[in-house]
Amino acid sequence: MSEEHRCGVVAIAGRPNVGKSTLLNRLLGAKIAIVTPKPQTTRDCILGILTGPGSQILFQDIPGIHQPPKPLNRRMMAVADAALADADVVLVMTDASKAAHCLQEDKLVLDRVRDAGKPTVLAINKIDLLDKPSLLPLMEAYGIQAGFDTIIPISAVTGDGLDELVAEVVKRLPVGPALYPEDELSDRSLRFLATEIVREKLTLNTRKEIPYSTAVTIDTFTEPEPPLAVTIEMTIHVERSSQKAIVIGRGGSMLKKIGTEARIDLEGLMERKVMLKLFVRVDEEWASSDAALRRLLDE
Ligand SMILES: Nc1nc2c(ncn2[C@@H]2O[C@H](COP(=O)(O)OP(=O)(O)OP(=O)(O)O)[C@@H](O)[C@H]2O)c(=O)[nH]1
Ligand SMILES: [Mg+2]
């Protein structure tokens, strides 16, 4: 008897910084979600489509689950809850390198996932950073105390355990036809990805509150016939003029560095020349204003 085709939505849920976006990129073999060493990088859901021989998995990379101090964080958590409610399966992810406090730190995530009431699989990520003897007690703790019956140790960086993870996820998907063409990787536009790439470079190059106080929007996006360069103008919104000075840097050096790094990535992605112009604008306390959040973050 031939196996039936399966297709469904899998939400990747976990604390900030556990490696959700890294996993999505690794599974798809393409960078569709930005990754940084800082928590709260992903602000909005990003759909990654993995089409296999008998299945199509629609992975939703969702913002890391955390306590919301500001309206921006509350918005991120509303996005996460909606994704959990819409998912067929929840892939919970935790960070093995934080083994000592893992379960305790995951409480918020586990409570939210339990409330969603979906079939779940647990991936213990970053096992490349863990000494082997610590793994078994960690798996036992999640099995006994958190009630997971399927726990897969993985490394999103080395690819360890990912085939098994995908197989376990597919088993739990509903039977149904593929919903997207097999060569489609994401539902996100190039415009969105361009703003995200600038935000990634900003986050990698700045410290303290700056990554959490910046948003990036597109002003113009022009794609003339090659060999002419694609021209993209974007604005980086900051909350205060002191932050504007930091993002611009001495003699414009920081903005230039961010722009160059982003342009190189965009040229790789689009496989053609890109001209990138970045502007910085103070948008007083945008991350605390619901109206500004809608204006800046809704596509
Ligand atoms: N060593 C190691 N590092 C990893 C692994 N997976 C992710 N990382 C690193 O962990 C950091 C966070 O990764 P992200 O993919 O941005 O994490 P995230 O869960 O999407 O974070 P948020 O978007 O903030 O919720 C980055 O520095 C990654 O390179 C892994 O398997 N091994
Ligand atoms: Mg992320």
Side-chain angles (χ1 to χ4, degrees):
M1 193 184 88
S2 71
E3 292 260 323
E4 282 176 289
H5 189 278
R6 293 180 182 273
C7 179
V9 177
V10 178
I12 311 177
R15 275 178 286 129
N17 217 39
V18 296
K20 300 177 294 297
S21 301
T22 308
L23 175 70
L24 187 75
N25 292 338
R26 174 80 197 204
L27 287 170
L28 299 187
K31 184 163 165 179
I32 65 161
I34 60 168
V35 167
T36 82
K38 294 176 184 135
Q40 299 171 33
T41 298
T42 304
R43 286 182 182 163
D44 217 337
C45 284
I46 297 168
L47 188 73
I49 304 155
L50 184 66
T51 306
S55 66
Q56 185 169 70
I57 314 179
L58 310 175
F59 282 108
Q60 277 289 5
D61 179 15
I62 65 181
I65 293 173
H66 61 286
Q67 296 281 12
K70 306 205 253 194
L72 170 62
N73 306 80
R74 275 207 290 283
R75 179 192 157 100
M76 285 156 72
M77 288 311 91
V79 165
D81 282 338
L84 289 176
D86 285 347
D88 296 300
V89 174
V90 178
L91 168 57
V92 185
M93 208 166 165
T94 192
D95 178 346
S97 67
K98 302 266 163 59
H101 313 286
C102 230
L103 200 54
Q104 202 182 329
E105 287 183 17
D106 276 338
K107 188 172 181 318
L108 197 63
V109 175
L110 297 176
D111 287 349
R112 277 189 133 97
V113 168
R114 199 172 302 118
D115 288 350
K118 302 294 167 76
T120 54
V121 172
L122 176 73
I124 300 186
N125 190 32
K126 307 195 190 179
I127 54 163
D128 54 300
L129 301 176
L130 191 73
D131 54 312
K132 286 257 151 40
S134 324
L135 188 57
L136 202 58
L138 195 60
M139 291 176 73
E140 277 174 5
Y142 277 90
I144 295 163
Q145 294 174 47
F148 284 98
D149 51 17
T150 307
I151 303 178
I152 302 149
I154 64 162
S155 168
V157 165
T158 67
D160 252 11
L162 299 193
D163 290 347
E164 195 192 340
L165 180 66
V166 168
E168 287 295 339
V169 164
V170 168
K171 270 191 215 167
R172 289 163 172 80
L173 290 181
V175 170
L179 295 177
Y180 289 85
E182 62 180 79
D183 56 354
E184 207 152 310
L185 286 183
S186 176
D187 66 337
R188 288 300 193 161
S189 64
L190 204 52
R191 289 169 66 100
F192 174 76
L193 205 50
T195 62
E196 287 286 274
I197 287 172
V198 171
R199 206 160 59 74
E200 180 185 72
K201 304 312 174 195
L202 246 167
T203 303
L204 292 173
N205 283 293
T206 57
R207 298 189 305 130
K208 297 195 178 147
E209 89 284 7
I210 304 279
Y212 309 103
S213 306
T214 41
V216 181
T217 56
I218 298 243
D219 301 318
T220 66
F221 193 112
T222 329
E223 281 185 89
E225 287 297 317
L228 291 176
V230 176
T231 306
I232 313 173
E233 294 182 319
M234 290 191 247
T235 297
I236 298 171
H237 304 258
V238 294
E239 293 195 288
R240 291 193 291 280
S241 50
S242 57
Q243 297 167 342
K244 178 173 175 174
I246 294 170
V247 171
I248 291 174
R250 190 168 296 170
S253 56
M254 176 58 86
L255 198 59
K256 188 158 179 229
K257 186 162 191 282
I258 291 166
T260 305
E261 290 178 9
R263 177 182 52 77
I264 291 168
D265 275 21
L266 280 165
E267 286 182 339
L269 187 75
M270 300 175 75
E271 296 177 329
R272 58 186 289 194
K273 281 258 168 259
V274 172
M275 271 239 304
L276 188 59
K277 289 184 197 156
L278 297 179
F279 306 93
V280 186
R281 191 181 126 167
V282 180
D283 230 307
E284 294 280 336
E285 306 299 336
W286 68 264
S288 305
S289 144
D290 286 324
L293 284 169
R294 278 195 297 277
R295 182 163 48 80
L296 298 181
L297 303 184
D298 286 347
E299 260 200 306

